[in-house]
Amino acid sequence: MFYLNDDIASFDLAAALPLLSDQRREQCLKFRFELGRKTCAMAYLLLCEGLRKEYGITERPIFEFGEHGKPFIVGHPDIHFNFSHCREAVICAISDHPVGVDVESIREYHESLVRYTMNDQEVEQIERADRPDVEFIRLWTMKEAVLKLTGQGITDNLKEVLTNVMTSELTTVVDPEVRYVYSICRPVKP
């Protein structure tokens, strides 16, 4: 299941701060700009909403972090989640299995970045697309979702991230009107 909020402008940070755990509030307030504080709080509240709806959990989750910084919920090792945010949207995915998610704003297309991060087949796919900027971000979010699923984070071998990936339900949604793309990735079920 996933939860998405793309109304960042209307989000009331002052009203949200008391709803966060002390740990998350401290993290949110470390952001220099209001957008970072808002999206940090929004991601946590989406997680809280999902935990309440999907699992009946009403306490504020506390996080511990894996080797590469992937968070997990203290006391609930069977619940997996991941969140991401950009200027336009915040997304949180929750599952009984590991999950990775990424959301990115559509931005200016830079060929040098494409060639650094994409393999030859992906470069060709991007160049053939009606909107190369959107296709690049679509592939980028898929790669990030896979890396966040595994908990690796950004690797040195970005070009091969989607090669021989053993995932299912790799979902990408593009909405050019609101100018963002998101992808959700889950492992292949045994």
Side-chain angles (χ1 to χ4, degrees):
M1 188 59 61
F2 73 93
Y3 297 84
L4 179 91
N5 186 337
D6 60 10
D7 189 12
I8 297 171
S10 298
F11 184 74
D12 185 345
L13 181 62
L17 286 174
L19 304 175
L20 308 180
S21 68
D22 291 343
Q23 177 192 47
R24 190 64 175 190
R25 187 178 319 108
E26 183 179 318
Q27 183 179 5
C28 286
L29 294 174
K30 286 181 181 178
F31 282 90
R32 182 176 177 192
F33 298 106
E34 183 179 36
L35 178 62
R37 292 189 292 268
K38 280 184 167 187
T39 57
C40 181
M42 290 172 77
Y44 184 84
L45 293 177
L46 288 175
L47 174 63
C48 290
E49 177 185 355
L51 291 173
R52 187 179 65 255
K53 287 180 178 178
E54 305 299 321
Y55 297 95
I57 296 171
T58 57
E59 72 262 13
R60 297 174 186 159
I62 304 298
F63 304 140
E64 287 190 9
F65 300 89
E67 179 184 349
H68 298 286
K70 185 171 183 173
F72 60 91
I73 303 169
V74 173
H76 297 281
D78 55 328
I79 299 174
H80 301 269
F81 75 97
N82 198 233
F83 36 61
S84 182
H85 49 79
C86 65
R87 291 184 313 271
E88 285 78 26
V90 178
I91 189 168
C92 176
I94 304 169
S95 177
D96 293 334
H97 303 283
V99 63
V101 65
D102 189 45
V103 62
E104 298 285 340
S105 304
I106 304 300
R107 54 188 172 270
E108 189 178 341
Y109 175 86
H110 293 284
E111 187 176 342
S112 61
L113 182 59
V114 169
R115 295 210 176 271
Y116 180 73
T117 60
M118 302 291 158
N119 64 39
D120 292 341
Q121 181 182 352
E122 293 163 343
V123 170
E124 184 178 321
Q125 185 176 334
I126 291 165
E127 289 174 346
R128 282 193 329 258
D130 291 337
R131 295 265 323 260
D133 57 339
V134 172
E135 185 64 10
F136 169 69
I137 297 298
R138 187 182 77 78
L139 289 168
W140 178 259
T141 63
M142 291 169 66
K143 289 180 184 226
E144 270 226 39
V146 167
L147 293 170
K148 291 174 77 176
L149 165 75
T150 63
Q152 289 179 282
I154 301 296
T155 72
D156 292 336
N157 195 7
L158 291 171
K159 292 182 179 191
E160 301 308 316
V161 170
L162 298 179
T163 306
N164 299 321
V165 174
M166 298 301 294
T167 60
S168 65
E169 302 174 57
L170 189 57
T171 306
T172 303
V173 176
V174 177
D175 188 341
E177 215 171 277
V178 290
R179 305 208 28 86
Y180 64 87
V181 176
Y182 66 87
S183 293
I184 302 168
C185 182
R186 296 174 185 90
V188 172
K189 294 181 182 178

PDB file of all heavy atoms in Angstrom, residues 32-61:
ATOM      1  N   ARG A  32      17.114  23.217   6.999  1.00  0.00           N
ATOM      2  CA  ARG A  32      17.321  24.666   6.954  1.00  0.00           C
ATOM      3  C   ARG A  32      16.103  25.401   6.393  1.00  0.00           C
ATOM      4  O   ARG A  32      15.750  26.484   6.863  1.00  0.00           O
ATOM      5  CB  ARG A  32      18.546  24.957   6.095  1.00  0.00           C
ATOM      6  CG  ARG A  32      18.889  26.407   6.000  1.00  0.00           C
ATOM      7  CD  ARG A  32      20.160  26.611   5.226  1.00  0.00           C
ATOM      8  NE  ARG A  32      20.435  28.037   5.095  1.00  0.00           N
ATOM      9  CZ  ARG A  32      21.338  28.536   4.300  1.00  0.00           C
ATOM     10  NH1 ARG A  32      22.079  27.737   3.563  1.00  0.00           N
ATOM     11  NH2 ARG A  32      21.522  29.822   4.234  1.00  0.00           N
ATOM     12  N   PHE A  33      15.462  24.803   5.388  1.00  0.00           N
ATOM     13  CA  PHE A  33      14.354  25.466   4.714  1.00  0.00           C
ATOM     14  C   PHE A  33      13.026  24.820   5.085  1.00  0.00           C
ATOM     15  O   PHE A  33      12.964  23.634   5.411  1.00  0.00           O
ATOM     16  CB  PHE A  33      14.554  25.433   3.194  1.00  0.00           C
ATOM     17  CG  PHE A  33      15.786  26.170   2.753  1.00  0.00           C
ATOM     18  CD1 PHE A  33      16.907  25.481   2.327  1.00  0.00           C
ATOM     19  CD2 PHE A  33      15.831  27.562   2.791  1.00  0.00           C
ATOM     20  CE1 PHE A  33      18.050  26.161   1.929  1.00  0.00           C
ATOM     21  CE2 PHE A  33      16.966  28.250   2.403  1.00  0.00           C
ATOM     22  CZ  PHE A  33      18.083  27.547   1.978  1.00  0.00           C
ATOM     23  N   GLU A  34      11.981  25.619   5.000  1.00  0.00           N
ATOM     24  CA  GLU A  34      10.642  25.153   5.368  1.00  0.00           C
ATOM     25  C   GLU A  34      10.204  23.955   4.524  1.00  0.00           C
ATOM     26  O   GLU A  34       9.563  23.043   5.032  1.00  0.00           O
ATOM     27  CB  GLU A  34       9.619  26.281   5.239  1.00  0.00           C
ATOM     28  CG  GLU A  34       8.238  25.839   5.686  1.00  0.00           C
ATOM     29  CD  GLU A  34       7.199  26.932   5.598  1.00  0.00           C
ATOM     30  OE1 GLU A  34       7.254  27.739   4.653  1.00  0.00           O
ATOM     31  OE2 GLU A  34       6.325  26.949   6.479  1.00  0.00           O
ATOM     32  N   LEU A  35      10.535  23.933   3.231  1.00  0.00           N
ATOM     33  CA  LEU A  35      10.141  22.815   2.380  1.00  0.00           C
ATOM     34  C   LEU A  35      10.681  21.498   2.937  1.00  0.00           C
ATOM     35  O   LEU A  35       9.950  20.507   3.019  1.00  0.00           O
ATOM     36  CB  LEU A  35      10.632  23.012   0.939  1.00  0.00           C
ATOM     37  CG  LEU A  35      10.314  21.868  -0.026  1.00  0.00           C
ATOM     38  CD1 LEU A  35       8.812  21.667  -0.177  1.00  0.00           C
ATOM     39  CD2 LEU A  35      10.965  22.116  -1.373  1.00  0.00           C
ATOM     40  N   GLY A  36      11.912  21.466   3.346  1.00  0.00           N
ATOM     41  CA  GLY A  36      12.494  20.259   3.937  1.00  0.00           C
ATOM     42  C   GLY A  36      11.806  19.863   5.227  1.00  0.00           C
ATOM     43  O   GLY A  36      11.550  18.676   5.472  1.00  0.00           O
ATOM     44  N   ARG A  37      11.504  20.826   6.070  1.00  0.00           N
ATOM     45  CA  ARG A  37      10.799  20.541   7.321  1.00  0.00           C
ATOM     46  C   ARG A  37       9.403  19.974   7.042  1.00  0.00           C
ATOM     47  O   ARG A  37       8.973  19.013   7.677  1.00  0.00           O
ATOM     48  CB  ARG A  37      10.726  21.798   8.185  1.00  0.00           C
ATOM     49  CG  ARG A  37      12.088  22.236   8.711  1.00  0.00           C
ATOM     50  CD  ARG A  37      11.986  23.343   9.746  1.00  0.00           C
ATOM     51  NE  ARG A  37      11.533  24.592   9.182  1.00  0.00           N
ATOM     52  CZ  ARG A  37      12.308  25.556   8.718  1.00  0.00           C
ATOM     53  NH1 ARG A  37      13.615  25.394   8.747  1.00  0.00           N
ATOM     54  NH2 ARG A  37      11.804  26.664   8.244  1.00  0.00           N
ATOM     55  N   LYS A  38       8.719  20.607   6.071  1.00  0.00           N
ATOM     56  CA  LYS A  38       7.364  20.135   5.732  1.00  0.00           C
ATOM     57  C   LYS A  38       7.380  18.710   5.183  1.00  0.00           C
ATOM     58  O   LYS A  38       6.594  17.864   5.618  1.00  0.00           O
ATOM     59  CB  LYS A  38       6.724  21.062   4.687  1.00  0.00           C
ATOM     60  CG  LYS A  38       6.137  22.333   5.236  1.00  0.00           C
ATOM     61  CD  LYS A  38       5.461  23.094   4.086  1.00  0.00           C
ATOM     62  CE  LYS A  38       4.588  24.215   4.587  1.00  0.00           C
ATOM     63  NZ  LYS A  38       3.820  24.839   3.481  1.00  0.00           N
ATOM     64  N   THR A  39       8.245  18.449   4.219  1.00  0.00           N
ATOM     65  CA  THR A  39       8.237  17.124   3.603  1.00  0.00           C
ATOM     66  C   THR A  39       8.685  16.037   4.581  1.00  0.00           C
ATOM     67  O   THR A  39       8.173  14.911   4.533  1.00  0.00           O
ATOM     68  CB  THR A  39       9.083  17.089   2.315  1.00  0.00           C
ATOM     69  OG1 THR A  39      10.419  17.499   2.608  1.00  0.00           O
ATOM     70  CG2 THR A  39       8.475  17.977   1.236  1.00  0.00           C
ATOM     71  N   CYS A  40       9.577  16.365   5.473  1.00  0.00           N
ATOM     72  CA  CYS A  40      10.002  15.421   6.507  1.00  0.00           C
ATOM     73  C   CYS A  40       8.814  15.065   7.416  1.00  0.00           C
ATOM     74  O   CYS A  40       8.570  13.897   7.700  1.00  0.00           O
ATOM     75  CB  CYS A  40      11.149  16.023   7.315  1.00  0.00           C
ATOM     76  SG  CYS A  40      11.789  14.962   8.620  1.00  0.00           S
ATOM     77  N   ALA A  41       8.082  16.063   7.847  1.00  0.00           N
ATOM     78  CA  ALA A  41       6.905  15.835   8.702  1.00  0.00           C
ATOM     79  C   ALA A  41       5.805  15.101   7.933  1.00  0.00           C
ATOM     80  O   ALA A  41       5.169  14.175   8.459  1.00  0.00           O
ATOM     81  CB  ALA A  41       6.381  17.166   9.233  1.00  0.00           C
ATOM     82  N   MET A  42       5.582  15.500   6.688  1.00  0.00           N
ATOM     83  CA  MET A  42       4.538  14.865   5.877  1.00  0.00           C
ATOM     84  C   MET A  42       4.813  13.376   5.677  1.00  0.00           C
ATOM     85  O   MET A  42       3.893  12.553   5.771  1.00  0.00           O
ATOM     86  CB  MET A  42       4.418  15.563   4.524  1.00  0.00           C
ATOM     87  CG  MET A  42       3.845  16.956   4.606  1.00  0.00           C
ATOM     88  SD  MET A  42       3.937  17.846   3.035  1.00  0.00           S
ATOM     89  CE  MET A  42       2.574  17.068   2.144  1.00  0.00           C
ATOM     90  N   ALA A  43       6.060  13.015   5.403  1.00  0.00           N
ATOM     91  CA  ALA A  43       6.401  11.608   5.198  1.00  0.00           C
ATOM     92  C   ALA A  43       6.087  10.797   6.453  1.00  0.00           C
ATOM     93  O   ALA A  43       5.504   9.712   6.376  1.00  0.00           O
ATOM     94  CB  ALA A  43       7.879  11.474   4.829  1.00  0.00           C
ATOM     95  N   TYR A  44       6.434  11.331   7.603  1.00  0.00           N
ATOM     96  CA  TYR A  44       6.183  10.635   8.865  1.00  0.00           C
ATOM     97  C   TYR A  44       4.677  10.480   9.101  1.00  0.00           C
ATOM     98  O   TYR A  44       4.216   9.415   9.499  1.00  0.00           O
ATOM     99  CB  TYR A  44       6.831  11.422  10.010  1.00  0.00           C
ATOM    100  CG  TYR A  44       6.723  10.741  11.350  1.00  0.00           C
ATOM    101  CD1 TYR A  44       7.645   9.774  11.726  1.00  0.00           C
ATOM    102  CD2 TYR A  44       5.707  11.069  12.233  1.00  0.00           C
ATOM    103  CE1 TYR A  44       7.561   9.154  12.960  1.00  0.00           C
ATOM    104  CE2 TYR A  44       5.610  10.459  13.469  1.00  0.00           C
ATOM    105  CZ  TYR A  44       6.536   9.497  13.838  1.00  0.00           C
ATOM    106  OH  TYR A  44       6.448   8.886  15.061  1.00  0.00           O
ATOM    107  N   LEU A  45       3.921  11.528   8.827  1.00  0.00           N
ATOM    108  CA  LEU A  45       2.475  11.458   9.041  1.00  0.00           C
ATOM    109  C   LEU A  45       1.803  10.510   8.050  1.00  0.00           C
ATOM    110  O   LEU A  45       0.810   9.852   8.396  1.00  0.00           O
ATOM    111  CB  LEU A  45       1.857  12.850   8.996  1.00  0.00           C
ATOM    112  CG  LEU A  45       2.281  13.759  10.160  1.00  0.00           C
ATOM    113  CD1 LEU A  45       1.680  15.149  10.007  1.00  0.00           C
ATOM    114  CD2 LEU A  45       1.904  13.149  11.517  1.00  0.00           C
ATOM    115  N   LEU A  46       2.328  10.408   6.832  1.00  0.00           N
ATOM    116  CA  LEU A  46       1.807   9.408   5.896  1.00  0.00           C
ATOM    117  C   LEU A  46       2.083   8.000   6.424  1.00  0.00           C
ATOM    118  O   LEU A  46       1.231   7.111   6.332  1.00  0.00           O
ATOM    119  CB  LEU A  46       2.427   9.584   4.508  1.00  0.00           C
ATOM    120  CG  LEU A  46       1.965  10.789   3.698  1.00  0.00           C
ATOM    121  CD1 LEU A  46       2.765  10.888   2.397  1.00  0.00           C
ATOM    122  CD2 LEU A  46       0.472  10.725   3.400  1.00  0.00           C
ATOM    123  N   LEU A  47       3.267   7.792   6.992  1.00  0.00           N
ATOM    124  CA  LEU A  47       3.582   6.500   7.597  1.00  0.00           C
ATOM    125  C   LEU A  47       2.620   6.209   8.746  1.00  0.00           C
ATOM    126  O   LEU A  47       2.074   5.103   8.841  1.00  0.00           O
ATOM    127  CB  LEU A  47       5.029   6.472   8.094  1.00  0.00           C
ATOM    128  CG  LEU A  47       5.450   5.225   8.876  1.00  0.00           C
ATOM    129  CD1 LEU A  47       5.371   3.973   7.999  1.00  0.00           C
ATOM    130  CD2 LEU A  47       6.856   5.399   9.444  1.00  0.00           C
ATOM    131  N   CYS A  48       2.385   7.191   9.603  1.00  0.00           N
ATOM    132  CA  CYS A  48       1.454   7.008  10.726  1.00  0.00           C
ATOM    133  C   CYS A  48       0.053   6.641  10.217  1.00  0.00           C
ATOM    134  O   CYS A  48      -0.606   5.754  10.769  1.00  0.00           O
ATOM    135  CB  CYS A  48       1.386   8.270  11.583  1.00  0.00           C
ATOM    136  SG  CYS A  48       2.891   8.587  12.532  1.00  0.00           S
ATOM    137  N   GLU A  49      -0.388   7.323   9.171  1.00  0.00           N
ATOM    138  CA  GLU A  49      -1.700   7.029   8.587  1.00  0.00           C
ATOM    139  C   GLU A  49      -1.744   5.590   8.074  1.00  0.00           C
ATOM    140  O   GLU A  49      -2.701   4.852   8.312  1.00  0.00           O
ATOM    141  CB  GLU A  49      -1.988   8.008   7.445  1.00  0.00           C
ATOM    142  CG  GLU A  49      -3.289   7.748   6.719  1.00  0.00           C
ATOM    143  CD  GLU A  49      -3.497   8.658   5.519  1.00  0.00           C
ATOM    144  OE1 GLU A  49      -2.686   9.585   5.278  1.00  0.00           O
ATOM    145  OE2 GLU A  49      -4.485   8.434   4.792  1.00  0.00           O
ATOM    146  N   GLY A  50      -0.719   5.189   7.356  1.00  0.00           N
ATOM    147  CA  GLY A  50      -0.666   3.830   6.839  1.00  0.00           C
ATOM    148  C   GLY A  50      -0.602   2.781   7.933  1.00  0.00           C
ATOM    149  O   GLY A  50      -1.281   1.748   7.857  1.00  0.00           O
ATOM    150  N   LEU A  51       0.181   3.016   8.960  1.00  0.00           N
ATOM    151  CA  LEU A  51       0.265   2.070  10.074  1.00  0.00           C
ATOM    152  C   LEU A  51      -1.083   1.924  10.776  1.00  0.00           C
ATOM    153  O   LEU A  51      -1.479   0.812  11.151  1.00  0.00           O
ATOM    154  CB  LEU A  51       1.338   2.522  11.070  1.00  0.00           C
ATOM    155  CG  LEU A  51       2.779   2.436  10.591  1.00  0.00           C
ATOM    156  CD1 LEU A  51       3.723   3.072  11.609  1.00  0.00           C
ATOM    157  CD2 LEU A  51       3.177   0.995  10.295  1.00  0.00           C
ATOM    158  N   ARG A  52      -1.793   3.031  10.928  1.00  0.00           N
ATOM    159  CA  ARG A  52      -3.117   2.999  11.555  1.00  0.00           C
ATOM    160  C   ARG A  52      -4.101   2.220  10.671  1.00  0.00           C
ATOM    161  O   ARG A  52      -4.800   1.323  11.145  1.00  0.00           O
ATOM    162  CB  ARG A  52      -3.606   4.420  11.816  1.00  0.00           C
ATOM    163  CG  ARG A  52      -4.898   4.505  12.611  1.00  0.00           C
ATOM    164  CD  ARG A  52      -5.344   5.939  12.876  1.00  0.00           C
ATOM    165  NE  ARG A  52      -5.697   6.627  11.630  1.00  0.00           N
ATOM    166  CZ  ARG A  52      -4.946   7.553  11.024  1.00  0.00           C
ATOM    167  NH1 ARG A  52      -3.808   7.943  11.560  1.00  0.00           N
ATOM    168  NH2 ARG A  52      -5.327   8.114   9.902  1.00  0.00           N
ATOM    169  N   LYS A  53      -4.153   2.548   9.390  1.00  0.00           N
ATOM    170  CA  LYS A  53      -5.120   1.916   8.482  1.00  0.00           C
ATOM    171  C   LYS A  53      -4.796   0.449   8.195  1.00  0.00           C
ATOM    172  O   LYS A  53      -5.699  -0.383   8.135  1.00  0.00           O
ATOM    173  CB  LYS A  53      -5.186   2.685   7.161  1.00  0.00           C
ATOM    174  CG  LYS A  53      -5.889   4.010   7.277  1.00  0.00           C
ATOM    175  CD  LYS A  53      -5.922   4.720   5.932  1.00  0.00           C
ATOM    176  CE  LYS A  53      -6.683   6.031   6.033  1.00  0.00           C
ATOM    177  NZ  LYS A  53      -6.677   6.755   4.752  1.00  0.00           N
ATOM    178  N   GLU A  54      -3.535   0.144   7.985  1.00  0.00           N
ATOM    179  CA  GLU A  54      -3.145  -1.205   7.563  1.00  0.00           C
ATOM    180  C   GLU A  54      -2.922  -2.171   8.732  1.00  0.00           C
ATOM    181  O   GLU A  54      -3.139  -3.370   8.577  1.00  0.00           O
ATOM    182  CB  GLU A  54      -1.856  -1.151   6.731  1.00  0.00           C
ATOM    183  CG  GLU A  54      -1.899  -0.219   5.532  1.00  0.00           C
ATOM    184  CD  GLU A  54      -2.958  -0.577   4.512  1.00  0.00           C
ATOM    185  OE1 GLU A  54      -3.166  -1.772   4.261  1.00  0.00           O
ATOM    186  OE2 GLU A  54      -3.581   0.350   3.973  1.00  0.00           O
ATOM    187  N   TYR A  55      -2.459  -1.645   9.880  1.00  0.00           N
ATOM    188  CA  TYR A  55      -2.071  -2.521  10.985  1.00  0.00           C
ATOM    189  C   TYR A  55      -2.733  -2.180  12.319  1.00  0.00           C
ATOM    190  O   TYR A  55      -2.488  -2.857  13.302  1.00  0.00           O
ATOM    191  CB  TYR A  55      -0.541  -2.461  11.166  1.00  0.00           C
ATOM    192  CG  TYR A  55       0.218  -2.962   9.961  1.00  0.00           C
ATOM    193  CD1 TYR A  55       0.677  -2.076   8.992  1.00  0.00           C
ATOM    194  CD2 TYR A  55       0.469  -4.314   9.784  1.00  0.00           C
ATOM    195  CE1 TYR A  55       1.377  -2.529   7.871  1.00  0.00           C
ATOM    196  CE2 TYR A  55       1.163  -4.776   8.677  1.00  0.00           C
ATOM    197  CZ  TYR A  55       1.603  -3.873   7.725  1.00  0.00           C
ATOM    198  OH  TYR A  55       2.284  -4.330   6.625  1.00  0.00           O
ATOM    199  N   GLY A  56      -3.525  -1.131  12.377  1.00  0.00           N
ATOM    200  CA  GLY A  56      -4.164  -0.734  13.629  1.00  0.00           C
ATOM    201  C   GLY A  56      -3.192  -0.163  14.651  1.00  0.00           C
ATOM    202  O   GLY A  56      -3.499  -0.082  15.839  1.00  0.00           O
ATOM    203  N   ILE A  57      -2.016   0.258  14.209  1.00  0.00           N
ATOM    204  CA  ILE A  57      -0.985   0.807  15.111  1.00  0.00           C
ATOM    205  C   ILE A  57      -1.219   2.310  15.264  1.00  0.00           C
ATOM    206  O   ILE A  57      -1.235   3.042  14.275  1.00  0.00           O
ATOM    207  CB  ILE A  57       0.426   0.529  14.559  1.00  0.00           C
ATOM    208  CG1 ILE A  57       0.676  -0.976  14.511  1.00  0.00           C
ATOM    209  CG2 ILE A  57       1.489   1.242  15.393  1.00  0.00           C
ATOM    210  CD1 ILE A  57       1.954  -1.376  13.794  1.00  0.00           C
ATOM    211  N   THR A  58      -1.374   2.749  16.492  1.00  0.00           N
ATOM    212  CA  THR A  58      -1.647   4.166  16.733  1.00  0.00           C
ATOM    213  C   THR A  58      -0.492   4.889  17.423  1.00  0.00           C
ATOM    214  O   THR A  58      -0.493   6.122  17.460  1.00  0.00           O
ATOM    215  CB  THR A  58      -2.927   4.340  17.576  1.00  0.00           C
ATOM    216  OG1 THR A  58      -2.771   3.610  18.793  1.00  0.00           O
ATOM    217  CG2 THR A  58      -4.148   3.831  16.815  1.00  0.00           C
ATOM    218  N   GLU A  59       0.469   4.150  17.982  1.00  0.00           N
ATOM    219  CA  GLU A  59       1.605   4.835  18.618  1.00  0.00           C
ATOM    220  C   GLU A  59       2.519   5.435  17.561  1.00  0.00           C
ATOM    221  O   GLU A  59       2.556   4.987  16.423  1.00  0.00           O
ATOM    222  CB  GLU A  59       2.381   3.906  19.561  1.00  0.00           C
ATOM    223  CG  GLU A  59       3.204   2.841  18.892  1.00  0.00           C
ATOM    224  CD  GLU A  59       2.528   1.471  18.824  1.00  0.00           C
ATOM    225  OE1 GLU A  59       1.313   1.373  19.076  1.00  0.00           O
ATOM    226  OE2 GLU A  59       3.229   0.505  18.482  1.00  0.00           O
ATOM    227  N   ARG A  60       3.235   6.457  17.961  1.00  0.00           N
ATOM    228  CA  ARG A  60       4.173   7.129  17.057  1.00  0.00           C
ATOM    229  C   ARG A  60       5.396   6.246  16.847  1.00  0.00           C
ATOM    230  O   ARG A  60       6.080   5.905  17.804  1.00  0.00           O
ATOM    231  CB  ARG A  60       4.591   8.473  17.639  1.00  0.00           C
ATOM    232  CG  ARG A  60       3.441   9.436  17.782  1.00  0.00           C
ATOM    233  CD  ARG A  60       3.875  10.684  18.494  1.00  0.00           C
ATOM    234  NE  ARG A  60       2.710  11.521  18.740  1.00  0.00           N
ATOM    235  CZ  ARG A  60       2.653  12.452  19.655  1.00  0.00           C
ATOM    236  NH1 ARG A  60       3.701  12.701  20.427  1.00  0.00           N
ATOM    237  NH2 ARG A  60       1.562  13.161  19.808  1.00  0.00           N
ATOM    238  N   PRO A  61       5.685   5.901  15.601  1.00  0.00           N
ATOM    239  CA  PRO A  61       6.823   5.015  15.364  1.00  0.00           C
ATOM    240  C   PRO A  61       8.165   5.689  15.666  1.00  0.00           C
ATOM    241  O   PRO A  61       8.348   6.876  15.426  1.00  0.00           O
ATOM    242  CB  PRO A  61       6.717   4.677  13.870  1.00  0.00           C
ATOM    243  CG  PRO A  61       5.835   5.710  13.278  1.00  0.00           C
ATOM    244  CD  PRO A  61       4.968   6.243  14.375  1.00  0.00           C
TER     245      PRO A  61
END
